[in-house]
Amino acid sequence: EDEDDQDSTFTIKILAEGNNIVYKYDYLIEVADNAKEAMDAQMESSKDTFKSISDAIRKECAAVEKVIYRYYDINGELIASYEF
């Protein structure tokens, strides 16, 4: 675990898993039943930005293979995961 940031909605942890960097978002509030669909839609509209960020990380650290974003609900259940 490299870094931990927190606000009132979720915590963010940046983890290393092998040669991957994982941004782990843990929601501290209840999320809607359709949260995955909403996240999928948001990720689709923002995927170029996430890809650019991931490419920049890999440019700075050649050992990084993937940048992964994982979102968990208040009960620790995975809502969605995206890899770049």
Side-chain angles (χ1 to χ4, degrees):
E1 181 178 314
D2 294 331
E3 187 174 318
D4 193 355
D5 192 11
Q6 183 173 341
D7 72 9
S8 60
T9 306
F10 55 84
T11 61
I12 302 171
K13 293 182 180 174
I14 303 170
L15 311 166
E17 288 183 0
N19 290 343
N20 301 322
I21 293 177
V22 177
Y23 288 83
K24 182 177 183 270
Y25 295 80
D26 290 299
Y27 279 90
L28 303 173
I29 60 170
E30 294 288 334
V31 294
D33 290 339
N34 67 342
K36 179 170 180 8
E37 291 81 11
M39 287 180 182
D40 287 347
Q42 180 62 39
M43 187 58 71
E44 181 63 30
S45 68
S46 303
K47 70 181 175 184
D48 290 341
T49 300
F50 279 89
K51 184 174 181 338
S52 293
I53 293 167
S54 300
D55 289 346
I57 291 170
R58 281 192 295 277
K59 182 178 179 184
E60 292 299 317
C61 184
V64 173
E65 294 176 5
K66 296 179 193 172
V67 180
I68 303 168
Y69 301 87
R70 293 185 185 142
Y71 299 85
Y72 294 85
D73 68 15
I74 195 168
N75 299 312
E77 297 292 324
L78 181 66
I79 301 169
S81 180
Y82 308 98
E83 296 182 6
F84 295 92

